[in-house]
């Protein structure tokens, strides 16, 4: 959207990775497109892990991985998602660690 002249977008990933989303905008404004693309790919990899669980629960697990207390889920789940949480938490942490090398 930014490359096409838009001002931004609304995305669930922005709540999970605000620092990476802000960096994407900053890199694009500075003309550093390869850095922006790298950051976008970090988010995409983490999003893949989140999508292994139904939406929006996978994103909720990612928010928990960032340290936000999301409280109880309003719907009773038919299975335990601890394994998926561990995978999502690892993907979130991996994205943040890789991003820390960019900044």
């Amino acid at each position: 959207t930014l490359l096409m002249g838009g001002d931004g977008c609304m995305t669930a990933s922005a709540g999970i990775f605000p620092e990476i989303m802000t960096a994407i905008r900053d890199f694009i404004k500075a003309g550093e497109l390869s850095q922006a693309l790298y950051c976008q790919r970090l988010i995409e990899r983490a999003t893949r892990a989140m999508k292994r669980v139904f939406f929006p629960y996978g994103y909720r697990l990612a928010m928990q991985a960032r340290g936000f207390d999301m409280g109880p889920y309003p719907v009773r789940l038919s299975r335990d998602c601890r394994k998926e949480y561990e995978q999502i938490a690892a993907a979130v942490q991996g994205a943040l660690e890789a991003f820390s090398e960019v900044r």
Side-chain angles (χ1 to χ4, degrees), residues 33-53:
L33 301 183
S34 63
Q35 292 291 78
L37 181 58
Y38 177 78
C39 290
Q40 183 66 43
R41 287 185 175 146
L42 292 176
I43 291 174
E44 190 274 328
R45 278 185 236 137
T47 299
R48 246 186 284 140
M50 291 179 245
K51 289 182 178 179
R52 290 185 189 127
V53 181

Side-chain angles (χ1 to χ4, degrees), residues 18-19 31 45 55 90 97:
E19 61 276 84
R45 278 185 236 137
F55 183 84
E97 286 173 5

Side-chain angles (χ1 to χ4, degrees), residues 5-61:
D7 291 326
C9 64
M10 295 296 295
T11 175
S13 300
I16 301 163
F17 299 111
E19 61 276 84
I20 300 176
M21 295 296 279
T22 301
I24 291 170
R25 183 203 60 216
D26 293 346
F27 284 136
I28 288 175
K29 285 184 175 186
E32 298 177 34
L33 301 183
S34 63
Q35 292 291 78
L37 181 58
Y38 177 78
C39 290
Q40 183 66 43
R41 287 185 175 146
L42 292 176
I43 291 174
E44 190 274 328
R45 278 185 236 137
T47 299
R48 246 186 284 140
M50 291 179 245
K51 289 182 178 179
R52 290 185 189 127
V53 181
F54 62 92
F55 183 84
Y57 195 67
Y59 287 79
R60 177 187 176 86
L61 293 176

Side-chain angles (χ1 to χ4, degrees), residues 60-71:
R60 177 187 176 86
L61 293 176
M63 291 293 287
Q64 285 178 221
R66 286 299 310 256
F68 292 98
D69 179 7
M70 301 303 291

